[in-house]
Amino acid sequence: MKHIRNFCIIAHIDHGKSTLADRLLEHTKTISERQMMNQVLDDMDLEREKGITIKSHAIQINYTYKGTQYVLNLIDTPGHVDFSYEVSRALAACEGALLLVDASQGIQAQTISNLYLAIENDLEIIPVINKIDMDGAMIPEVTDQIVELIGCKAEDILLASGKSGIGIEEILHAIIERISPPQGNEDAPLQALIFDSVFNSFRGIIVYYRILNGVLRKNDKIRFFNTGAEYLADEVGILKLGMEPKNEVRAGDVGYIITGIKNAREVKVGDTITTVANPCSDYIHGFEDVKPMVFAGIFPVETDAFEELRDCMDKLQLNDASLTFELETSQALGFGFRCGFLGMLHMEIIQERLEREFNQTVITTVPNVSFKATTTKGEEIIINNPTEMPDPVRIDHVDEPFIKAQIISKPEYIGNIMTLCIGKRGILTHQSYLTPTRVELSFEMPLTEIVFDFYDKLKSMTRGYASFDYHPIGYRVSDIVKMDILLNGDRVDALSALIHRSRAQDFGRKLCEKLKELLPRQQFQIAIQAAIGAKVVARENISAMRKDVTAKCYGGDISRKRKLLEKQKEGKKRMKQIGNVEVPQEAFLAVLKLND
């Protein structure tokens, strides 16, 4: 075990983690030249197209240092704030981390938050300044920033370039010298932490784990600690670029196991694997459940495809443990799922993966967050959906989730950032200069306000220089109301929204205007109203299509024409009472895009 090192690479998005991982694999000859390509560990099409890492990837490297053969288990992690749950799982399987900082951009928000995650897990941090061969590299300034952030010595910081391969040898030496080997006892009962799993249509579910104690052998009878399910280990092995079968995997190693499990619900990320013959007495602690931030409904376009969508969601959840979902029905869209995501990018990626990997075309409803309503009797109700909101008369107060937002940018954009955040009901709590050219602003803001387009606006206002990170700080009392849309006095459930009172009128007006464009005209007049409780805050009319009943009257008395028009008016009135307004699918989709 003393020749094993488990480490991961953490950094802000786009600081060169995957490129550095490519160089490490190339330098140690883990991958042949024929297999080599950019972002070699990112095996999803989506990751290559967007140039981001979505999933953590583990791979084993063999390296000889001072005549001794070492085994290095590398986990490449995502950098975007929406995938920080992936990072926390990778950290749980490691003893050390390479902290990468881009020489031309310096420390950014996600660098700090990933660093804190690593420190909480007691990992040995090796700071690396990447991209030192770029024209805009500010090596002395970035070195000062890292020294101030971590409190290390300047000479401990390694300089490297993932693109041209500078400093790769030094990084490998530092990993072996500075990171401690895994602690564990091979003779103890088996204790392995599941940190990921994936569905394979030929072999069932493949589980990835890190063994803390004991040895896992082929054909052992194993048990999942929390679910209690028992299986036979058909195949065990380690992760190279593909999977490499072995007869046994020992303490300290990262590996995979195939048992032919078909049911997705029996594997939980964070569960402990042990053997039936010699079980461990306790499971591995310190793995918290994920807390979704943004909720949206996902519905199949064809209502018959619901069961198929349910299977696809189960398989996708295996591979992405931060996705949570439950059943939901909607008057307009039929059966579907209410899903919890970690952020808007996460939601977009899930939608794309459903379409690409499972050929599912889905409709996604307006993203929103959970509110807590306290009734006059003192009961607390969690509201994930506008339809769950109790009657206003029964509500004492509503709490909405708040977050602490941390924005790092250049000083010249402070004004723009403040205007944006205060416009989104944010409160500035802290402002400090990290360096003369770097300023950090902290805001307390409602989560509802950043769900839609906050990140895009922040990027465009600061020309892409601001980096943003957030974490929840609990619920606070807020003036949240339910806004209904009425068509000729009838409520349309699927178009209801929960919104802050100060925004309701503006939002209602926009929504009514949009529906006026989209709803087909009828033989009778349609009134579109946005209402809060009994108070109407906005209204639009769609005028009736009318037949020219007076065409047959040539001249003659005006009273004849009037009589015909009155008769038509009566008919329209009767039609309006019995006629109902069909809302086309496009209208629901347009409401979702209202905030774009």
Side-chain angles (χ1 to χ4, degrees):
M1 272 176 66
K2 63 176 188 289
H3 296 140
I4 297 177
R5 300 286 183 274
N6 296 317
F7 71 100
C8 59
I9 307 178
I10 55 175
H12 189 78
I13 189 166
D14 249 4
H15 279 205
K17 294 176 292 301
S18 299
T19 315
L20 184 73
D22 290 352
R23 287 301 83 73
L24 289 169
L25 299 178
E26 200 174 46
H27 186 82
T28 53
K29 305 275 189 296
T30 305
I31 289 181
S32 65
E33 282 180 27
R34 194 168 63 84
Q35 293 171 306
M36 194 62 215
M37 54 182 170
N38 285 344
Q39 282 180 269
V40 70
L41 291 179
D42 294 348
D43 47 15
M44 248 187 268
D45 299 345
L46 260 179
E47 294 181 310
R48 297 182 172 284
E49 280 167 32
K50 292 182 181 282
I52 57 175
T53 304
I54 294 167
K55 291 286 302 165
S56 295
H57 299 275
I59 189 165
Q60 193 171 94
I61 300 172
N62 293 330
Y63 181 64
T64 309
Y65 175 61
K66 293 185 179 169
T68 312
Q69 180 87 11
Y70 284 90
V71 173
L72 312 177
N73 289 312
L74 152 69
I75 303 181
D76 177 28
T77 64
H80 194 281
V81 58
D82 281 10
F83 306 115
S84 55
Y85 187 61
E86 284 286 327
V87 181
S88 74
R89 281 162 36 196
L91 294 173
C94 294
E95 276 83 33
L98 294 180
L99 178 73
L100 238 61
V101 182
D102 185 328
S104 58
Q105 297 192 341
I107 285 176
Q108 294 193 301
Q110 204 52 32
T111 317
I112 297 174
S113 97
N114 283 341
L115 171 71
Y116 289 157
L117 274 177
I119 290 172
E120 272 171 37
N121 282 320
D122 289 338
L123 266 62
E124 175 64 40
I125 310 286
I126 301 177
V128 180
I129 298 180
N130 195 18
K131 305 189 188 180
I132 57 166
D133 53 350
M134 277 180 69
D135 294 342
M138 313 175 291
I139 298 168
E141 292 93 321
V142 178
T143 306
D144 292 345
Q145 287 178 24
I146 296 176
V147 168
E148 201 169 310
L149 181 68
I150 307 178
C152 62
K153 297 191 178 82
E155 52 269 24
D156 292 344
I157 300 171
L158 304 174
L159 301 180
S161 165
K163 200 160 237 170
S164 52
I166 304 167
I168 299 298
E169 194 77 30
E170 288 80 2
I171 290 176
L172 287 163
H173 294 176
I175 290 166
I176 291 167
E177 287 166 5
R178 297 194 208 170
I179 296 175
S180 56
Q183 304 296 316
N185 182 357
E186 289 187 2
D187 304 325
L190 176 70
Q191 219 183 9
L193 171 75
I194 300 177
F195 68 87
D196 205 357
S197 52
V198 58
F199 183 81
N200 181 313
S201 43
F202 302 109
R203 316 208 55 183
I205 292 163
I206 302 169
V207 177
Y208 299 142
Y209 54 83
R210 150 83 197 273
I211 298 188
L212 297 191
N213 290 310
V215 179
L216 176 59
R217 294 182 179 85
K218 192 177 174 178
N219 297 329
D220 271 356
K221 194 151 192 225
I222 60 149
R223 177 186 295 149
F224 291 134
F225 205 94
N226 289 340
T227 56
E230 295 181 4
Y231 290 98
L232 200 68
D234 297 338
E235 185 183 306
V236 299
I238 56 165
L239 300 161
K240 290 284 192 169
L241 189 56
M243 294 182 292
E244 199 170 285
K246 295 272 185 200
N247 285 328
E248 59 178 37
V249 185
R250 310 181 80 79
D253 259 332
V254 174
Y256 73 92
I257 180 171
I258 297 173
T259 55
I261 308 171
K262 288 286 186 284
N263 185 354
R265 290 192 178 80
E266 289 181 21
V267 179
K268 279 193 164 62
V269 166
D271 201 350
T272 304
I273 303 176
T274 187
T275 50
V276 175
N278 184 10
C280 59
S281 55
D282 199 9
Y283 65 95
I284 301 164
H285 295 272
F287 219 85
E288 77 281 355
D289 271 344
V290 59
K291 295 183 186 68
M293 290 290 205
V294 174
F295 296 89
I298 286 186
F299 293 87
V301 173
E302 307 289 328
T303 37
D304 317 346
F306 172 71
E307 281 302 326
E308 199 183 326
L309 180 64
R310 184 202 294 250
D311 286 348
C312 297
M313 294 291 278
D314 276 341
K315 288 171 189 170
L316 191 56
Q317 192 179 32
L318 267 181
N319 194 235
D320 185 347
S322 48
L323 168 70
T324 54
F325 62 89
E326 56 192 42
L327 281 174
E328 184 181 49
T329 51
S330 150
Q331 283 184 344
L333 304 167
F335 286 103
F337 296 98
R338 169 126 205 109
C339 305
F341 307 98
L342 296 184
M344 291 299 277
L345 178 70
H346 187 209
M347 178 172 135
E348 196 183 307
I349 296 289
I350 293 288
Q351 216 174 329
E352 283 264 328
R353 285 184 71 181
L354 278 171
E355 286 184 14
R356 289 186 188 207
E357 293 171 31
F358 303 102
N359 296 323
Q360 292 290 317
T361 336
V362 292
I363 295 169
T364 315
T365 63
V366 187
N368 64 351
V369 301
S370 300
F371 297 94
K372 277 185 190 166
T374 308
T375 61
T376 42
K377 290 181 180 170
E379 298 165 11
E380 203 171 78
I381 304 169
I382 299 232
I383 304 164
N384 288 329
N385 204 330
T387 47
E388 295 168 6
M389 184 84 154
D391 200 34
V393 188
R394 288 179 44 221
I395 299 174
D396 182 48
H397 62 267
V398 179
D399 297 320
E400 69 173 326
F402 265 68
I403 54 153
K404 183 173 185 197
Q406 188 184 23
I407 298 170
I408 297 179
S409 181
K410 291 189 168 182
E412 57 261 38
Y413 300 118
I414 291 179
N416 292 357
I417 295 171
M418 284 195 173
T419 311
L420 174 68
C421 294
I422 290 165
K424 297 268 186 194
R425 299 192 281 133
I427 304 156
L428 178 70
T429 55
H430 182 69
Q431 174 181 343
S432 65
Y433 281 82
L434 302 172
T435 68
T437 55
R438 278 282 143 131
V439 63
E440 180 189 355
L441 301 165
S442 295
F443 288 91
E444 287 181 359
M445 298 171 75
L447 183 59
T448 339
E449 298 287 346
I450 67 156
V451 162
F452 280 108
D453 52 357
F454 177 79
Y455 195 58
D456 300 339
K457 280 188 178 165
L458 179 69
K459 282 285 180 202
S460 56
M461 280 184 162
T462 58
R463 299 191 189 164
Y465 275 112
S467 63
F468 170 67
D469 181 39
Y470 64 87
H471 57 265
I473 51 172
Y475 284 78
R476 294 183 186 178
V477 177
S478 191
D479 193 2
I480 298 291
V481 291
K482 177 185 174 189
M483 194 175 73
D484 292 307
I485 296 292
L486 312 173
L487 297 179
N488 280 349
D490 294 333
R491 271 196 180 83
V492 183
D493 264 3
L495 297 177
S496 301
L498 293 172
I499 193 158
H500 193 266
R501 197 182 292 273
S502 62
R503 294 282 158 89
Q505 201 160 350
D506 191 34
F507 184 71
R509 194 176 299 120
K510 273 191 200 162
L511 199 48
C512 290
E513 284 166 9
K514 191 82 177 171
L515 286 170
K516 185 179 179 178
E517 290 168 26
L518 291 160
L519 291 179
R521 284 174 71 185
Q522 306 280 352
Q523 294 279 328
F524 50 90
Q525 184 189 22
I526 303 172
I528 306 168
Q529 294 167 307
I532 297 168
K535 184 186 174 193
V536 175
V537 291
R539 173 178 174 136
E540 291 285 338
N541 288 332
I542 299 178
S543 51
M545 292 193 289
R546 60 171 265 210
K547 187 178 169 191
D548 191 359
V549 286
T550 57
K552 61 186 177 189
C553 302
Y554 295 118
D557 192 2
I558 184 74
S559 60
R560 275 186 67 206
K561 289 185 180 177
R562 199 165 286 148
K563 193 172 161 191
L564 287 169
L565 288 169
E566 285 297 323
K567 196 172 169 190
Q568 185 188 32
K569 201 168 162 189
E570 282 299 313
K572 295 240 181 267
K573 205 172 188 179
R574 208 163 44 246
M575 207 186 270
K576 186 173 179 175
Q577 282 165 356
I578 57 165
N580 62 344
V581 185
E582 283 294 313
V583 183
Q585 195 77 53
E586 294 83 62
F588 293 112
L589 297 180
V591 174
L592 314 187
K593 297 192 169 70
L594 196 66
N595 285 56
D596 289 3

